Amino acid sequence: MPRYISVGIVILTVVTSWWTAGTPSPLFNHIYVSSSVLANIATNKFDLAIPFNRQERIWKAASLELNSKQMANAVIKGADRFLKPLYNLLCDQLRQEKVVHMDETPFQVLDSGKSRSYFWVVRTPKEFANHQIALFHYAPTRSGKVISDVLTSDYSGAVMCDGYGGYSQERLPESIFGSCLIHIRRLFIELVKGLKLKDDAPATKGRQAA
């Protein structure tokens, strides 16, 4: 009888050790946000456009007390720890491409105190790139320095861009620059709009440019 009890205890101990999981480590100190919770917060915010203050009610309904400040901190720390290495890798790959397209677009950051900030977008061409990369770089300014910050002053490829003066060999002395045909077309459209239909009409700025 003791022999069977002993065997039973051993088997029970082994099985228990198989199925007992350890406590998962937190992603960040002092924040009880798991990887799945952080993924949901980011998806709600950036894909579904649900602000953090509205997400508070969602998480409260799931019995998780998270305020907007905690969610914002988790997203910032998560991006810095898990996405910044990927961003740096994409930058390194871009700088090895022979041709890149680059443009900047303005938008407003409410708490920045500035009327305009900028997203600088860098894209590899589909036709002859080693990697298909689209990189979005935030900067609070339109200074040409951002261009050399992204590509570095050593970049020796071709940059397809518009006529903005920041794209210059002063910033990228080893690069060559190609003009965007869409932006060139806009200049011709403006030129045509400035022309008068009558032959005896006074010269306009468009006619003088022609």
Side-chain angles (χ1 to χ4, degrees), residues 15 27 42 51 60 98 113 190 198:
V15 172
L27 291 177
K60 187 174 182 179
K98 294 182 179 180
E190 293 174 2
K198 296 181 179 179

Side-chain angles (χ1 to χ4, degrees), residues 2 6 8 19 25-26 30 53 65 69 91 124 161 177 184 197 210:
S6 174
W19 294 99
S25 301
H30 312 299
N53 61 328
E65 295 288 343
K69 184 177 181 180
C91 284
T124 55
C161 55
F177 296 90
I184 293 176
L197 295 178

Side-chain angles (χ1 to χ4, degrees), residues 54-72:
R54 286 176 54 196
Q55 289 195 49
E56 288 182 17
R57 299 196 297 270
I58 297 174
W59 292 111
K60 187 174 182 179
S63 301
L64 184 59
E65 295 288 343
L66 276 175
N67 59 46
S68 57
K69 184 177 181 180
Q70 290 172 320
M71 285 185 274

Side-chain angles (χ1 to χ4, degrees), residues 125-169:
K126 294 182 179 180
E127 293 80 6
F128 38 81
N130 294 322
H131 303 281
Q132 292 300 307
I133 300 173
L135 182 79
F136 290 79
H137 176 86
Y138 165 77
T141 175
R142 201 190 179 201
S143 168
K145 181 178 181 301
V146 179
I147 301 170
S148 55
D149 288 343
V150 175
L151 294 176
T152 74
S153 58
D154 296 330
Y155 181 68
S156 58
V159 182
M160 301 297 295
C161 55
D162 58 18
Y164 172 49
Y167 299 100
S168 68
Q169 291 187 319

Side-chain angles (χ1 to χ4, degrees), residues 9 25 43 59 61 72 74 103-104 114 117 151 156 158 191:
I9 292 173
S25 301
T43 301
W59 292 111
D103 199 3
E104 76 288 340
K114 292 178 173 289
S117 296
L151 294 176
S156 58
L191 176 65

Side-chain angles (χ1 to χ4, degrees), residues 13-72:
T13 303
V14 173
V15 172
T16 302
S17 65
W18 285 349
W19 294 99
T20 301
T23 303
S25 301
L27 291 177
F28 317 108
N29 294 331
H30 312 299
I31 300 179
Y32 54 94
V33 172
S34 66
S35 57
S36 58
V37 170
L38 178 58
N40 274 279
I41 291 172
T43 301
N44 289 339
K45 171 67 175 176
F46 301 110
D47 187 28
L48 303 179
I50 303 175
F52 293 139
N53 61 328
R54 286 176 54 196
Q55 289 195 49
E56 288 182 17
R57 299 196 297 270
I58 297 174
W59 292 111
K60 187 174 182 179
S63 301
L64 184 59
E65 295 288 343
L66 276 175
N67 59 46
S68 57
K69 184 177 181 180
Q70 290 172 320
M71 285 185 274

